[in-house]
Amino acid sequence: MIRRVLSVLVVGMGAAVLCAHVPTSGAPPPDPGAVVINEILYAPDPSSNEFIELYNRSDTAVDLSTLEYADGNRAFSSVAASKAILDPGAHVVLARDTSAFREAFPEAEVRAAPGWEALNNSGDTVYLRRADGATVDSVPYEPSWGGADDRSLERIDPAAPSDVASNFASSTAPAGATPGRRNSRYAPDERPPEPVFAELTAETRAVVTFSEPVRPSSVRPGAFGLDGTGIAGARLSTDTTATLSLRSSPSARRLRVAGIRDRVGNRLGDATLPLAYRPAPETVILNEILYAPRADDYDDRPNQVEYVELRSRTDRFLSLNGLFVTDRPDETGVADTLRLGRKAVLSPRGYGVLAAAPDDATAPARSQLARAFPEAPLAADSVAVLLSGTARLGLTNDGGLVRLHRADGRRVAEVRYRPDWHAAGLDDPTGTALERISPTADAQSPDNWTSSPAPAGGTPGTRNAVGLPPPGDSSTARTARLHVAPSPFSVERDGAARIRYSLDTAPSLVRARIFDARGRAVRTLEDARLVGRSGELVWNGRDDAGHRVRVGVYVVLFEAVQAGSGTVTQLKEPVIVARPLD
């Protein structure tokens, strides 16, 4: 409530208010933030209904005669001509035209605002200061903050900052405003800030993003912890982002955070979150591609969307922040670019899906991708879904290039897919994804891709229907060996057989051929290709002409030649081609 020491007539914009005489008590000038600008009606119809509401959020009464207000012109006027006490938790409304205000809001008490011309609908600043010139509060509002369509701009949390749009919103009250009483959007912040994303952006630099603006003084090295290295420095780089300087390159998978405070003082206890490393080549693969989605509005099935699936090959968390995709460059070297990256994390050995979103969905569970693939675990923590907000990703049905780049432009994975990678018996690939058979075999090998046999046409966000599990590491083998699995295998069930080899020394050239039981060569997988000491090939059960071979026993002959010594290493291993039983 407002208490006066004597009867005073306050005049402003043709209106007058006679305030009753009540007892008074002394009150010191308010500290900064003790009284806040709590509500602004800057674009009413008619414009004479403009008002500003002040709120005493302190525990001490405030003398309004010690306060002055102004708009962006900074022509300050006194809030009260003589002593008037604003009690703790009380509101006071300053109206441009008190007669018009009372007609619009008859239940609210109001004070006239002498010298107030008009607030700008395109944005303005409302100032509140003490008579000695010390700033008490100021709100630099813009139309994007809210307050249009004859509704006031309401403060959400009286204790939160006055200069951030997130602390203001349009009134939802039936009258369009709440002068003299609690705001309809009142929602004090009682939760501490949460770290939501942490990324290693350089060898000894990490950036941490919080859920809300944080207090700069709480961002210090001791608030953060990483196993294996120390935090040399910490600073607030934006309202919600802290930059950490590390003493050495970290090996930790998670970052610890504690003691960070938000702008209203809420304190974070202990929290941990993944530390995301920027992906490097071979840490991420392109695992599945749907370039010809089914899109028939009359087939009683949800329309599909173009998507590309990623798969992590590392035990670290990987950052998808700033990720972008390019296609085949034109003759001038310019490629179309689709920027999909956001502050998301690809889990260790997990999956990511880059998908078109013709419905402009932002939540994976409500996207067209989820409707087309209802069994896909798109909401799982281990799956990162990046929606494009576009009807297409730009994949072409006659083949094309999908090239994945991280935020700094470095290329981390690519595939030049072709329609003939689909199973030979598939007449129309529409609605069927290309699935990679082995995550470790050559991405450009046609034998390493085939049509998805999944009922929905693909398996976004989960293991491929024809995928083989990652092999064990054979790079440290001391003797030459050849291993084929699965055997028996079938194209329908397994897609292909994996042929893994390890050699005593690094060869110069290798050749790999498949022979039938009569000793006839049916397929050449590699012919004079330079490789390392270990590697992997896949055979999809077809001959050199692309025809499926008969059921039976076959032999893999692997030959490695060292050019300097002329030494030839031959390895043989049987493999059985089978058919699944109906």
Side-chain angles (χ1 to χ4, degrees), residues 293-365:
R294 183 183 64 247
D296 186 340
D297 294 333
Y298 303 98
D299 64 357
D300 295 326
R301 293 184 296 176
N303 289 344
Q304 297 170 331
V305 293
E306 294 178 4
Y307 71 79
V308 175
E309 182 189 70
L310 316 179
R311 184 175 178 181
S312 169
R313 292 182 55 195
T314 178
D315 291 328
R316 286 179 167 179
F317 292 95
L318 297 178
S319 172
L320 299 180
N321 189 28
L323 191 81
F324 65 96
V325 177
T326 59
D327 61 5
R328 182 187 298 128
D330 60 22
E331 59 273 12
T332 65
V334 177
D336 290 333
T337 299
L338 183 62
R339 298 191 178 275
L340 293 164
R342 55 181 175 81
K343 292 179 178 179
V345 172
L346 187 61
S347 296
R349 309 290 174 180
Y351 296 87
V353 183
L354 317 179
D359 50 0
D360 202 26
T362 56

Side-chain angles (χ1 to χ4, degrees), residues 306-547:
E306 294 178 4
Y307 71 79
V308 175
E309 182 189 70
L310 316 179
R311 184 175 178 181
S312 169
R313 292 182 55 195
T314 178
D315 291 328
R316 286 179 167 179
F317 292 95
L318 297 178
S319 172
L320 299 180
N321 189 28
L323 191 81
F324 65 96
V325 177
T326 59
D327 61 5
R328 182 187 298 128
D330 60 22
E331 59 273 12
T332 65
V334 177
D336 290 333
T337 299
L338 183 62
R339 298 191 178 275
L340 293 164
R342 55 181 175 81
K343 292 179 178 179
V345 172
L346 187 61
S347 296
R349 309 290 174 180
Y351 296 87
V353 183
L354 317 179
D359 50 0
D360 202 26
T362 56
R366 295 193 294 272
S367 67
Q368 186 63 37
L369 178 70
R371 289 191 287 273
F373 300 93
E375 301 300 320
L378 302 178
D381 291 340
S382 59
V383 180
V385 180
L386 304 183
L387 301 174
S388 69
T390 58
R392 300 185 65 247
L393 296 184
L395 305 178
T396 52
N397 291 1
D398 58 349
L401 171 66
V402 180
R403 185 172 281 165
L404 190 69
H405 308 258
R406 67 188 197 185
D408 60 4
R410 186 179 182 186
R411 186 188 313 169
V412 294
E414 72 175 39
V415 169
R416 296 179 183 271
Y417 67 91
R418 299 203 311 262
D420 60 10
W421 288 4
H422 275 289
L426 185 66
D427 295 331
D428 182 6
T430 300
T432 301
L434 277 173
E435 290 192 344
R436 185 168 176 159
I437 297 170
S438 169
T440 51
D442 185 6
Q444 271 319 121
S445 172
D447 287 345
N448 199 23
W449 293 84
T450 192
S451 306
S452 173
T459 55
T462 189
R463 179 179 173 180
N464 290 349
V466 297
L468 297 173
D473 183 14
S474 61
S475 61
T476 59
R478 295 182 180 274
T479 59
R481 66 177 182 175
L482 190 68
H483 180 71
V484 181
S487 180
F489 85 95
S490 69
V491 175
E492 293 84 358
R493 183 189 62 200
D494 306 301
R498 169 182 284 127
I499 302 166
R500 303 200 301 271
Y501 62 88
S502 58
L503 302 165
D504 309 25
T505 58
S508 294
L509 301 171
V510 299
R511 180 167 66 166
R513 291 175 291 172
I514 309 293
F515 292 84
D516 64 15
R518 296 185 179 184
R520 296 173 299 189
V522 296
R523 181 67 184 274
T524 299
L525 297 177
E526 290 291 354
D527 190 10
R529 184 168 74 96
L530 182 65
V531 298
R533 285 187 59 237
S534 63
E536 180 182 344
L537 305 171
V538 289
W539 180 41
N540 62 0
R542 299 182 183 277
D543 60 22
D544 284 328
H547 303 135

Side-chain angles (χ1 to χ4, degrees), residues 108-194:
E109 296 183 5
V110 63
R111 298 181 64 85
W116 179 0
E117 295 184 359
L119 296 172
N120 293 326
N121 293 1
S122 59
D124 209 334
T125 300
V126 180
Y127 295 96
L128 183 68
R129 73 179 187 185
R130 298 192 317 208
D132 61 8
T135 299
V136 176
D137 194 27
S138 65
V139 176
Y141 71 86
E142 297 179 4
S144 60
W145 290 24
D149 302 323
D150 205 28
R151 291 192 169 272
S152 70
L153 180 66
E154 290 187 348
R155 192 184 196 105
I156 296 172
D157 185 352
S162 301
D163 57 354
V164 294
S166 59
N167 195 34
F168 291 85
S170 295
S171 175
T172 59
T178 55
R181 57 190 177 89
R182 175 178 287 185
N183 290 345
S184 64
R185 303 302 293 265
Y186 177 79
D189 181 6
E190 298 176 349
R191 302 180 61 181
E194 296 289 340

Side-chain angles (χ1 to χ4, degrees), residues 161-237:
S162 301
D163 57 354
V164 294
S166 59
N167 195 34
F168 291 85
S170 295
S171 175
T172 59
T178 55
R181 57 190 177 89
R182 175 178 287 185
N183 290 345
S184 64
R185 303 302 293 265
Y186 177 79
D189 181 6
E190 298 176 349
R191 302 180 61 181
E194 296 289 340
V196 295
F197 182 71
E199 178 184 18
L200 192 71
T201 58
E203 186 176 3
T204 58
R205 184 177 67 243
V207 175
V208 186
T209 302
F210 291 90
S211 58
E212 60 176 307
V214 300
R215 186 174 294 179
S217 60
S218 67
V219 177
R220 50 188 179 76
F224 305 90
L226 272 174
D227 291 340
T229 188
I231 310 297
R235 62 180 178 84
L236 195 65
S237 44

